[in-house]
Amino acid sequence: MLDALFKPRAVAIIGASTKELSIGNVITKNLQTYGYKGKIYPLNPKAPEIRGIKAYKSLDEIPGEVDLAHVIIPSQFVPQTIEDCGKKGIKAVIINSAGFSEMGEEGAKLQADFLARAREYGVRVFGPNCQGIINSDPDLKAYCNFTFTYPDPGAISVVALSGGVGALIMQALYDLGIGQRFYASNGNACDISMSEIVQYYGQDEGTKAVILYTEGFSNPREFLEVAREVTAKKPILAMKAGRTEQGAKAASSHTGSLAGVDIATELIFEKTGILSFTDEGEMVRAAWAFSSQPIPAGNRVGLITNTGGPAVIATDVLVDCGLDVPVLSENSIARLKETQFPEAALENPIDVVATAGGPQFRAAMDVLLEEDGVDSIFINFVTAPFTDTDAVAREIVEVSRQAKKPIVCNFMTDLSQERFQKTMGILKEGGVPFYANPSDAAKALGALTAYGRLQRRDIGQPESLAGVDAAKARSIIEQAQRAGRSILSATDVYSIFEAYGIPVARWSVVDNAAQAVEAADRIGYPVVVKVDSEEIDHKSDMGGVVINLKDAASVREAVEQMQSQLGKFGTLRFLVQKFLPGGRELIIGATAEPELGHLVMFGLGGIYVEVLKDVVFKIAPVTRVEAQEMLGSIKTAALLDGIRGEQGIDKEQVISLIQRISQLLTDLPMIQEMDLNPIMAFADAVYAVDGRIRI
Amino acid sequence: MLDALFKPRAVAIIGASTKELSIGNVITKNLQTYGYKGKIYPLNPKAPEIRGIKAYKSLDEIPGEVDLAHVIIPSQFVPQTIEDCGKKGIKAVIINSAGFSEMGEEGAKLQADFLARAREYGVRVFGPNCQGIINSDPDLKAYCNFTFTYPDPGAISVVALSGGVGALIMQALYDLGIGQRFYASNGNACDISMSEIVQYYGQDEGTKAVILYTEGFSNPREFLEVAREVTAKKPILAMKAGRTEQGAKAASSHTGSLAGVDIATELIFEKTGILSFTDEGEMVRAAWAFSSQPIPAGNRVGLITNTGGPAVIATDVLVDCGLDVPVLSENSIARLKETQFPEAALENPIDVVATAGGPQFRAAMDVLLEEDGVDSIFINFVTAPFTDTDAVAREIVEVSRQAKKPIVCNFMTDLSQERFQKTMGILKEGGVPFYANPSDAAKALGALTAYGRLQRRDIGQPESLAGVDAAKARSIIEQAQRAGRSILSATDVYSIFEAYGIPVARWSVVDNAAQAVEAADRIGYPVVVKVDSEEIDHKSDMGGVVINLKDAASVREAVEQMQSQLGKFGTLRFLVQKFLPGGRELIIGATAEPELGHLVMFGLGGIYVEVLKDVVFKIAPVTRVEAQEMLGSIKTAALLDGIRGEQGIDKEQVISLIQRISQLLTDLPMIQEMDLNPIMAFADAVYAVDGRIRI
């Protein structure tokens, strides 16, 4: 439990300072200014008081109990101070000081030192190299942070790896008038992790939604489990930066921990139903809609507008966001005809025209609320100077208060004019989320709608699959491990596939030409012959693969040719396999992701993967629903169904194949990389025709 | 010249009203409030004065000359009023009234009527069903509009088809503190067109950049010519809404003129070097950067940040926008080492750390200004409460004033606090464009950089091509026109192609099997035989195409089979053509676009066009550079170069082919549709093997 951190009854500031612009002074000031209801104990070796509060020379001098201490002293003194905190019975510390793991080896040693002492005394550590936390609860008002925004109480809790982005989000929410519950930015996160904070927010009744910023997770599996738990109860809006190679490099430079573009974080968001953003402004604006509006039951939106062009822009953006702008029912149109001006357009968007007042807006909203074909309402409201704009705002508020469908408003006005400030005040008081332009408003409604989709999506549980001999596969791998082999032989690979019921083109591994012919006779022509050697990397380029061999003579010749050409690599073995031309080439791959499990990749083979990079990923275990989504979400999905009169492939078998591979990976975590490339898919069958496993 | 409209010395308001919220009153008030320096003549049949200004009963009574009249009266009275305006010598009218072409046939008649009278008297008409214009020139201050924002003088001129979006843009510029020069929103645009307004802005010395909003052009060719002229002198930032099918439907409903998704407008923007946006907020924020910063010479950006995470976000977005974040030179890094704090990160982004003050920011900016490998500077500036933020702002301003590289700033602060308002004031006064979050700032710099690319791009002129017999092609088409045929025969199509030097697989049109065999012998086997009949639409499905015929007997059989199966369609002719397997299938198509010319399409044939829709378009005439861009910009461009050891195709020949087709379309505007599908492309040759022309 992080209560000592987020709900401290007394805070010590170790390193409080009389200097106006120092962090130790700013934190003291923030606690004062925000109106902290607990006790503040500044520590300073010389000053008798800091900002009018009695200061102490050491923790021993502090008369009462302390839940939380800020530590703002040079890094080399931190370990001893943490021990002192432990002795004082302090339960949590926020180490604002920098100079630890982010500064190389020496800093990392100091960090290990203070962490060991903290564990000894049961002190939880937040940071180091961090901002701190805020709890806006009017009964506590804990501003344990050196930032400059004073958030209003509310229901959105923020956690950000980067203090800069955290402060930005906090400020943006504040600017929009959105209240906040908790705020946390934990820097190096050596002990209290983002996962733990998100879990705490999940359990907090005052938190209705969570906003999260990260550049990756040190323990992604832990986060995945926590996120699954929390998203079942409340929405998480998240942004992951370092998406591009150069962005990842920038991230790695400031956190000192991550490198390379990771796709796993986005996949975790997808798997757990976290709504992902790439623009921090969009995320914060969406939060406004989440803080007051219901989640729409579907993607059909009705628009009301008193000006033409902004409705066109809104429609474009809503459609971009996956919403539908349906034709209204005849009944709705008839009702509109009764209530709207003659020049109004009674379609969707409903153009009530610039002269529309409260009654026209109200009637249009009522129609959309009762229209079965509409799940949400978008309003363009320009404050036409010849209308009673306050009356319009009042109607929007009144409808929004009782509506079961979300209402989002694009409110176009000049707020430097008092009369329009008043109109805005009515919307704001009334809890209507409004934005200054149609694209922003449409994206906010798009986010609500996307979240509704995530909420309704149930990926289910991994299925238990029949015909799996996990023990056999495990023993093959263990044997390879004992033999010190990291690339498995063809025999091993195909035997493992067979143990998991993965269909493989008929095969046999042989030692010489005579055996090859015998195997080919048994398998049936045409066949492929491939050299089976760990030593030879690019078999095709080396002449180690010959396809479409139609008779015994060709098989013999192929084997003999390889023996003479590739003999220098040692004694060779050969894989003889049924040749299966004419199918659709698929590819399924997997890589182990540190601290997470495996990422499974699916796509069309050949040029589709090479030129178009048309592949999709999921985190194992992959459920049936997720496997279906994989087939449906490649750009060339139509090819799986067959085009130009061709037959499609057997998708059910591919879905089963993906699940079997997922099971295999889950059972055998020592697999580092696996490729089935290609898989040949036909209308009635699917076969892996080449496979590779690295452990 | 539109001086009477944009620089009126006297304005009459026909339909001025004493009623506070009426348009006629609001326009009078706006002229007064904005401080119009000319004469205001309200017209009202009864009231002696409007808002304290003497009112007139008729135009005759007005003592002086009038340049411009607002017309705000019921539509049926407008034609006579326009005639009266003409008699009074008024040079331009703004018809605010609605009830014309947007309201069906009767309205259209009224519009035709007043327009005829206006032409008779030489009165230029702005509107009808429109807002009006604003000229912020301090010497004139003409606010001939009923909107509510009072723009500051400046150098950006705005033109918007939609008044709602126009007002939105004006307000957003105002909110950002960006001055404006002219504003115009011309509604139905029955006389003065958007093109004419843009041309006027182009000639206006006070206008440094143009912002344009449209949902399509009624005369796109005219706009194309004007835009080409204006973009040579100043940037045009534009947004076209109605991009989606549902958005286009919404647009069509409020303008009553357009329908269907048009791609031509975006192509015009591309061809003329207009910077195109899909988000109005982004466009306006970009305008701030355009209004004060130089255009970067390239796409390499140096970042300075005093906080980690926002630099990661900025890097991601800058990379998304096509910018590069290069490694700094050793010299720059050495100089940074001398000036920055020890904990600073001396990479790109340069993290000067949160404690950095004016000197650290200044030194970092100086290094980037002198760094040859950097074209622009991005600054993340969070107002850390323990630093002298004013000093930082002053340094940014000072550098920005002398810099030849653009500087864009993400300024993260709480403006509800006075000290930070002061810091902001310094940036604002200093003309530094700043934004509240890194994505917004990065996109603004992205827009500047994209515009630099557009500016440096020279598409050149259409080439004059050798070996073109335009007269022959024209006579073939004229003959078909005389015969009343809209689909050309194979003979016609291939003859036209040959007249333009478009390589065609050897072909012959014959009447019977004997002639077919003779032709095939001459052409050389294998051949294709296709039935040549206007009556038969889906030749392949009807058994009208047989490929890969290897000898005389097969040719004879194919023709006889078609005769027996398809004889019911009348006397048949047959196309015998060289069969060319194994090449890369390409497709080139063209459609006539009303009032514009032809759109030329290029892509890979077969599944690439069917499943991936991987095609690109240009407006004819297509220059050599544009043809090259077409080949380079399809998603599967890599296939043209050959992959997996295959040879690539002869791209030069395809480029020449596109230019020849473009020439053909330009010479023969009566062509409505043309397809070359497929074109077979090889390493050393390219042939059209099927063609279709509709006139």
Side-chain angles (χ1 to χ4, degrees), chain A residues 21-23 26 29 103 146-150 162-165 168 171 174-175 213 215 239-244 246-251 253-254 278-281 307-313 315-317 319-320 323-327 343 345 347-349 351 382-388 412-417 419-420 436-440 443 585 606-608 610-612 635-636 638-639 643-644, chain B residues 21-23 26 29 103 146-150 162-165 168 171 174-175 213 215 239-244 246-251 253-254 278-281 307-313 315-317 319-320 323-327 343 345 347-349 351 382-388 412-417 419-420 436-440 443 585 606-608 610-612 635-636 638-639 643-644:
Chain A
L21 292 183
S22 71
I23 290 183
V26 168
K29 192 184 89 184
M103 291 296 278
F146 56 74
T147 47
F148 47 77
T149 313
Y150 300 116
S162 151
V165 178
L168 179 72
Q171 180 65 40
Y174 177 81
D175 288 343
Y213 169 83
E215 293 158 15
M239 174 162 170
K240 194 259 168 194
R243 294 177 287 110
T244 62
Q246 291 180 307
K249 198 174 141 248
S253 133
H254 93 94
T278 56
D279 184 298
E280 64 286 6
T307 167
V312 180
I313 296 176
T315 302
D316 276 345
V317 176
V319 170
D320 285 346
L323 278 85
D324 186 30
V325 184
V327 173
E343 59 273 31
E347 301 169 67
N348 189 11
D351 190 343
V382 63
T383 53
F386 36 84
T387 56
D388 180 351
M412 298 171 281
T413 194
D414 178 5
L415 289 179
S416 68
Q417 294 178 46
R419 55 178 170 162
F420 298 138
N437 63 49
S439 287
D440 286 352
K443 284 173 189 167
E585 274 187 43
I607 56 155
Y608 299 99
E610 279 180 45
V611 174
L612 293 170
K635 286 176 245 151
T636 43
L639 292 182
I643 55 152
R644 291 182 150 187
Chain B
L21 292 183
S22 71
I23 291 182
V26 168
K29 192 184 89 182
M103 292 295 278
F146 57 75
T147 47
F148 48 77
T149 313
Y150 299 115
S162 151
V165 179
L168 180 73
Q171 178 65 39
Y174 177 82
D175 288 341
Y213 169 83
E215 293 158 14
M239 174 161 169
K240 194 258 169 195
R243 294 177 287 110
T244 61
Q246 291 180 308
K249 199 176 140 246
S253 135
H254 93 95
T278 56
D279 184 299
E280 64 285 5
T307 167
V312 180
I313 296 176
T315 302
D316 276 345
V317 176
V319 170
D320 285 346
L323 278 86
D324 186 30
V325 184
V327 171
E343 58 274 32
E347 302 169 65
N348 190 10
D351 190 343
V382 64
T383 53
F386 36 83
T387 56
D388 181 350
M412 296 170 283
T413 194
D414 178 5
L415 289 178
S416 67
Q417 295 178 46
R419 56 178 170 161
F420 297 138
N437 64 50
S439 287
D440 286 353
K443 285 173 190 169
E585 273 186 44
I607 56 154
Y608 299 99
E610 279 181 45
V611 175
L612 293 170
K635 285 174 244 148
T636 44
L639 293 182
I643 55 152
R644 292 183 150 187

Side-chain angles (χ1 to χ4, degrees), chain A residues 104 136 160 190 235 251 281 327 332 346 388 411 442 475 478 518 526-527 635 671 688:
Chain A
S136 72
C190 75
V327 173
S332 290
L346 310 181
D388 180 351
F411 179 58
S475 91
E478 284 169 353
E518 198 184 307
V527 296
K635 286 176 245 151
I671 292 179

Side-chain angles (χ1 to χ4, degrees), chain B residues 27 68 233 289 311 321 381 392 534 545 558 566 633:
Chain B
I27 288 173
L68 176 66
K233 289 185 281 189
C321 293
F381 172 21
V392 173
E534 275 181 57
V545 180
L566 305 170
S633 57

Side-chain angles (χ1 to χ4, degrees), chain B residues 461-637:
Chain B
Q461 295 297 320
E463 284 171 30
S464 111
L465 303 163
V468 168
D469 186 349
K472 184 180 169 199
R474 177 172 292 273
S475 91
I476 292 170
I477 287 194
E478 284 168 353
Q479 214 169 333
Q481 281 177 320
R482 278 193 298 274
R485 282 182 288 132
S486 65
I487 307 284
L488 300 195
S489 70
T491 305
D492 287 352
V493 170
Y494 292 114
S495 301
I496 290 171
F497 287 172
E498 285 175 347
Y500 273 83
I502 293 166
V504 173
R506 293 189 67 196
W507 62 280
S508 184
V509 170
V510 298
D511 290 317
N512 54 44
Q515 286 178 7
V517 168
E518 199 183 305
D521 287 345
R522 200 170 57 242
I523 288 166
Y525 295 92
V527 295
V528 187
V529 173
K530 298 179 202 168
V531 72
D532 178 23
S533 163
E534 275 181 57
E535 309 295 318
I536 305 172
D537 239 10
H538 296 282
K539 296 187 176 71
S540 296
D541 302 343
M542 304 284 289
V545 180
V546 188
I547 64 167
N548 203 12
L549 300 170
K550 290 178 176 157
D551 52 37
S554 325
V555 169
R556 183 181 315 277
E557 193 194 322
V559 170
E560 284 166 358
Q561 181 101 19
M562 286 182 202
Q563 281 172 323
S564 85
Q565 268 183 15
L566 305 170
K568 57 186 169 194
F569 291 102
T571 314
L572 301 175
R573 309 193 77 201
F574 304 92
L575 176 77
V576 181
Q577 195 173 32
K578 181 78 181 171
F579 180 58
L580 294 166
R584 177 68 67 194
E585 273 186 44
L586 307 179
I587 174 170
I588 297 177
T591 47
E593 190 72 15
E595 312 286 336
L596 178 62
H598 291 93
L599 302 188
V600 180
M601 180 191 86
F602 167 78
L604 264 72
I607 56 154
Y608 299 99
V609 57
E610 279 181 45
V611 175
L612 293 170
K613 318 273 180 244
D614 187 15
V615 293
V616 290
F617 293 85
K618 296 276 180 190
I619 298 166
V622 179
T623 68
R624 183 177 177 71
V625 171
E626 288 180 304
Q628 285 170 327
E629 288 175 350
M630 291 179 96
L631 268 66
S633 57
I634 55 171
K635 285 174 244 148
T636 44

